[in-house]
Amino acid sequence: MNFLRLIYYLLVINFKDFGFIFWTIGYPLVLVTIFMATTSNLAGDDLEEIKVGAAEDSEYFEALKQVEFITVNEMTVSEARTSLSEENITGYINKDGTLIVEENGFEASILESVINQIQQTYTLGIPPENFNFDVDFIETNEMETEPQVVMYYSTVAMISLYTVFTSMELISSMRPNLSTMGARFSASPFSKTKYILASSIAGLFLGLLSNGLVIGYLMIFNDSVLFNHLPATLGIIVAGNIAGLGLGFIIGLTPRVNINVKSIVPVVFIVGLAFLAGLMGPGVRTVVNRELPFINQLNPLAHVTDTIYRVNLMDNFDSYWTTIAFLIGITVVSFFITLIALRRKQYDHI
């Protein structure tokens, strides 16, 4: 049979399977939709304008007027307390530089940073007109201000390993002691290597299709810019899909276990790895890295999540090729183990 035609037939078979389409395409889209709906309030709001009150004839009044994102008005303490209770201003600065706020929050923290900068500058004897307010008071860590991005990246990483189902079913279908198809395949002269390669290419195509749809969905409907380096992101996702194929080969080699029972193994395996990699938020990931760092050092989903995060949000490519080599290495080892196991396996009864 023509190699390309074999790939085509394998794709058609998968597209006709409603369960396969739902779990590889429908379920990931539902999952990221739930994340967007439930974590939208976790995102850090854009800083627009901070309204501040200052004591009359205060030297801080002139200094604060030079800060671009602060609007300052002179008022008495009594007026300030009324404005604070009505939430018309974020804080009030006394003549001595003490800051009064009604409640702690993001804007109050930024205002406190500005006041501290002004006080340090006064200590150095620099007059207000010479203050340098080019300092970035609102530089933050994306991991802290938008923890949901880790969940999105972990979801994309999890989907990249979905090819484990394709390769696991492929190897199980070739085992004559597990299925009628396997018995027929074992007795036929058809090339096992050719069939494995064709199935792997078909599975890789379906995995990349699923990843592509989820990434496109996030780029269209999510407010945050998650993929600043899309080509590099796709490269690591391709490697993740290839690693999923290798892991599926190994699971499929498990003897005397029905395919329906085997399907539970990759589900638990992938969800567990995604959980440790940050699917439920960065908190669990932080605890695992602190208490049991070796777990995520061996976790392929953690490597994929970390690399996507570093590349897109930190412009850091230091571990990019190392991660790709690690993922490809999983598949190469698994592929050769699978070929050896299939070629040398013999059965008394089929």
Side-chain angles (χ1 to χ4, degrees), residues 1 33 84 167:
M1 180 182 293
T33 301
L84 284 170
S167 55

Side-chain angles (χ1 to χ4, degrees), residues 104-118:
N104 293 324
F106 178 65
E107 292 185 352
S109 298
I110 297 301
L111 181 58
E112 183 180 10
S113 298
V114 174
I115 297 301
N116 289 338
Q117 177 70 14
I118 293 174

Side-chain angles (χ1 to χ4, degrees), residues 31-42 151-152:
L31 187 62
V32 295
T33 301
I34 293 174
F35 281 160
M36 285 192 289
T38 57
T39 63
S40 58
N41 61 328
L42 296 177
M151 301 166 69
Y152 294 143

Side-chain angles (χ1 to χ4, degrees), residues 14 24 29 42 53 66 72 86 111 123 136-137 153 158 169 171 178 189 192 216 258 271 277 295 305 307 322 347:
N14 282 295
T24 59
L29 292 177
L42 296 177
Q66 300 182 46
V72 58
E86 295 175 354
L111 181 58
T123 302
D136 187 1
F137 293 102
Y153 291 154
M158 180 182 70
E169 187 172 357
I171 299 302
L178 296 180
K192 294 181 176 64
N258 185 274
V271 172
I295 292 180
T305 302
T307 304
T322 302
Y347 301 90

Side-chain angles (χ1 to χ4, degrees), residues 11 20 24-25 156 159-164 166 200-214 237-238 241-242 245:
L11 288 172
F20 181 84
T24 59
I25 296 177
V156 172
I159 298 168
S160 71
L161 248 66
Y162 271 15
T163 48
V164 69
T166 304
S200 298
I201 292 173
L204 181 60
F205 175 83
L206 293 171
L208 293 177
L209 175 63
S210 178
N211 275 116
L213 290 173
V214 171
I237 287 173
V238 169
N241 277 268
I242 294 174
L245 291 172

